[in-house]
Amino acid sequence: MTTRLKSLGDWIAEVAELTQPDKIHWCDGSEQEYRALIDLMLANGTLIELNQKTYPNCYLHRSDPQDVARVEHLTYVCTTNQEDAGPNNNWMPPDEAKALLTECFRGSMRGRTMYVIPYCMGPLDSPYARCGVEVTDSPYVAANMHLMTRMGKAALERIERDGTFVKGLHCTGELDPERRYIMHFPEELLIMSYGSGYGGNALLGKKCHALRIASWQARDEGWLAEHMLIVGIENPRGETHYIAAAFPSACGKTNLAMLIPPESHKGWKVWTLGDDIAWLHLGEDGRLRAINPEAGYFGVVPGTNRQTNRNAFEMITHDTIFTNVALTADNEPWWEEKNEGVPVIDWLGKPYEPGNGPAAHPNSRFTVSAKQNPSYSSLAEAPEGVPISALIFGGRRRELAPLVYEAKDWAHGVLVGASVASETTAAATGKVGIVRRDPMAMKPFCGYNFGDYWAHWLSFAERSSRLPKIFHVNWFRRSPDGKFLWPGFGENLRVLRWIIERCENRAGAVETPIGYLPRPEDLDVSGLDVSPQTLEQLLAVEPEQWRNEMKDLGAYFEQFGDRLPKRLREEHRRVVEALG
Ligand code: GTP
Ligand code: SPV
Ligand code: MN
């Protein structure tokens, strides 16, 4: 296979000249090709076969122990003007970045096969979908892209039709954490990633293309590329509302997207459209419509069990690639809170010793096609996407943020999104559990200056009067002794129900300085082990804590200087004044 698109053919020739691979393989996306990739990796030890009786077509990959998460300090947005990347991104002049990486890539594929992966983010026939080509020397990346994207022959045909694509150059390199760079050149629709084989660093269609590059294009073209799940909630009358929700990495998107209604909510159904990324466009009717650019999940494994997420638990019993989980004596995958089986080999491949830390890496992941999800929505492939009734922001906050609140209008909602802060998790290298500002859950993923990004968000109010309502949730508030106050998981449907009923003007609320909150009687907590005192704690808005929060947010905003929209400053001042 090769291509009739000259710009693509020329680029591949140029990359091959630089990296000097032994062979070039154009991926066609077929099942035979996937099988051959798996067999190759089984033969060379990149993959380990799991128990094929209980986990058919499941494999374990152990990454380099120093290459287990995204590396935010080595991720750059290289724009001509530094101001365009903003204080929210690492920056390097494009020429300098390219010179540095060109030296890394020179001869880097010698003795290896170069895979050319044409892919399409979004349904192949969607006007909202966008394509890219990833070039990589990693068969693990090629196999993951097979499960996670629409890749191969059909994507190449679309690229040849469109005549344009995002270029993604990836090389595993020596896996030296000191010689690792994830570089983005949004002005040239180019990504260069060197020295990591892991997830968001290496599967370039995901965070690099569908968020960092796409957010830049979306600003120019009037749409939004967001770190959001997309889920449909069907009530017992058969009416479905679609919701998109942004939570930072490892803060519950996959779980909410696949939620199983609790016993108390008979007749309710939940349909998954996406678990990580949403592309949002204004439809002709003025409503915001969402598509999921991805076709599979790269999900957090620890914490997944029959009680928390039965859909995911069942989905990953076949045709799944596991990365950095532990093994049982029966050669089954094991992870913390699996609640069955016993680990004997840890994620590093050593005999499991409880004193050495968790058996599975806290950021161990499953890769699986979305079609395996029992709650996969029939509209997940709809080219025009689904209309969104509510947007939700959230984070992991042990205090301060109540279970749920509603923004007063769109502009206030943009402030609520911009105010997201969350405890850091194992999804990125660095300390875990530190509260940091993560506006719209996009701190690691926005490909341009946050000041311009908020202005872009605010501009939607001038273009439509039918925008979704905006909410904020926190499933992670804790009691002074460290226990989660809210049961979470399936029970989160009770909160989604209030949100939907607010959109239908059917649910009650009380106005507070930070927005509308449900009164205890507005939330259905029947049959839940949540006492009235606990519910009160979950819904508490403490003015002193909130005054401090708003002060901190104001100081954070200062770094954006002139690029901070006036309107956002005004919204902030309004909340400060209301808090007294
Ligand atoms: P990324 O893939 O990194 O973007 O993460 P994500 O936002 O999809 O997070 P995910 O749903 O995988 O959840 C991350 C962790 O949070 C898992 O260990 C879950 O078990 C846990 N979690 C998810 N939802 C809840 C909840 O409602 N309550 C509690 N206590 N934990 C939750
Ligand atoms: C995240 O970190 O938000 C993820 C995993 O979804 S990764 O693909 O590694 O970015
Ligand atoms: Mn994510």
Side-chain angles (χ1 to χ4, degrees), residues 153-413:
K153 197 164 168 286
L156 181 61
E157 280 163 13
R158 172 150 178 172
I159 290 169
E160 290 173 340
R161 254 195 337 268
D162 290 353
T164 160
F165 59 96
V166 170
K167 297 172 180 163
L169 177 50
H170 170 256
C171 181
T172 314
E174 341 40 353
L175 297 175
D176 175 356
E178 304 297 318
R179 208 164 174 255
R180 178 172 294 164
Y181 301 99
I182 324 296
M183 304 273 200
H184 305 73
F185 306 87
E187 290 149 326
E188 296 167 59
L189 305 186
L190 171 68
I191 304 155
M192 295 174 94
S193 164
Y194 186 85
S196 167
Y198 195 84
N201 301 331
L203 309 175
L204 302 186
K206 195 172 173 65
K207 300 302 163 79
C208 300
H209 177 164
L211 288 178
R212 297 195 191 94
I213 300 284
S215 62
W216 176 283
Q217 293 181 296
R219 185 258 321 256
D220 286 349
E221 298 169 10
W223 50 285
L224 293 165
E226 298 298 325
H227 192 203
M228 290 180 173
L229 67 95
I230 312 165
V231 67
I233 311 288
E234 183 179 331
N235 69 21
R237 294 189 302 278
E239 300 153 348
T240 304
H241 279 278
Y242 296 93
I243 291 176
F247 311 149
S249 302
C251 290
K253 290 183 299 300
T254 303
N255 278 269
L256 195 70
M258 304 179 65
L259 177 154
I260 294 182
E263 283 296 311
S264 58
H265 280 60
K266 288 240 168 356
W268 290 74
K269 291 186 187 128
V270 172
W271 304 106
T272 314
L273 289 104
D275 83 324
D276 199 48
I277 301 179
W279 285 356
L280 306 165
H281 286 78
L282 272 185
E284 274 167 19
D285 59 359
R287 295 194 69 186
L288 209 53
R289 306 193 73 92
I291 65 159
N292 172 14
E294 302 190 278
Y297 312 128
F298 185 65
V300 175
V301 184
T304 306
N305 61 49
R306 287 183 207 279
Q307 285 71 44
T308 54
N309 189 347
R310 195 179 71 233
N311 281 334
F313 194 82
E314 287 172 4
M315 169 177 80
I316 61 178
T317 56
H318 65 99
D319 299 279
T320 300
I321 298 176
F322 290 88
T323 300
N324 294 338
V325 296
L327 290 174
T328 68
D330 294 333
N331 201 32
E332 291 181 347
W334 192 91
W335 53 86
E336 272 60 28
E337 293 173 72
K338 186 181 186 187
N339 293 350
E340 48 194 76
V342 178
V344 296
I345 306 285
D346 69 15
W347 68 276
L348 290 160
K350 302 211 176 86
Y352 172 61
E353 298 271 358
N356 293 348
H361 189 277
N363 193 34
S364 52
R365 298 264 166 174
F366 55 77
T367 316
V368 67
S369 161
K371 296 211 169 103
Q372 285 185 205
N373 177 356
S375 61
Y376 187 63
S377 165
S378 61
L379 288 181
E381 294 281 336
E384 69 287 1
V386 292
I388 297 295
S389 300
L391 293 174
I392 306 179
F393 295 108
R396 216 177 248 276
R397 298 294 301 258
R398 53 178 64 231
E399 44 187 35
L400 186 86
L403 182 61
V404 59
Y405 62 99
E406 178 191 331
K408 294 181 180 174
D409 56 23
W410 182 262
H412 179 230

Side-chain angles (χ1 to χ4, degrees), residues 388-544:
I388 297 295
S389 300
L391 293 174
I392 306 179
F393 295 108
R396 216 177 248 276
R397 298 294 301 258
R398 53 178 64 231
E399 44 187 35
L400 186 86
L403 182 61
V404 59
Y405 62 99
E406 178 191 331
K408 294 181 180 174
D409 56 23
W410 182 262
H412 179 230
V414 175
L415 177 76
V416 168
S419 76
V420 170
S422 191
E423 292 157 28
T424 50
T425 66
T429 55
K431 269 204 152 160
V432 167
I434 314 285
V435 176
R436 72 154 179 187
R437 298 249 148 244
D438 194 348
M440 279 79 172
M442 284 286 277
K443 165 69 189 73
F445 308 120
C446 183
Y448 63 104
N449 191 314
F450 262 153
D452 300 342
Y453 172 76
W454 296 319
H456 181 49
W457 263 85
L458 287 164
S459 74
F460 279 73
E462 292 148 28
R463 294 171 55 203
S464 171
S465 54
R466 298 188 69 195
L467 294 171
K469 282 184 187 269
I470 298 180
F471 297 81
H472 186 285
V473 301
N474 178 20
W475 316 138
F476 300 95
R477 200 153 169 169
R478 300 199 201 209
S479 62
D481 61 359
K483 294 211 177 69
F484 289 120
L485 291 171
W486 179 248
F489 301 103
E491 304 297 351
N492 292 334
L493 181 60
R494 298 169 188 263
V495 175
L496 297 184
R497 183 173 161 190
W498 180 77
I499 287 174
I500 287 168
E501 289 173 0
R502 287 295 293 170
C503 295
E504 295 172 338
N505 296 316
R506 295 200 289 128
V510 57
E511 188 171 352
T512 80
I514 65 165
Y516 300 107
L517 264 80
R519 297 162 300 179
E521 64 269 30
D522 296 322
L523 275 182
D524 177 1
V525 290
S526 54
L528 262 195
D529 188 19
V530 171
S531 68
Q533 292 79 356
T534 301
L535 192 57
E536 205 172 295
Q537 279 174 283
L538 280 162
L539 296 174
V541 177
E542 285 122 9
E544 189 52 34

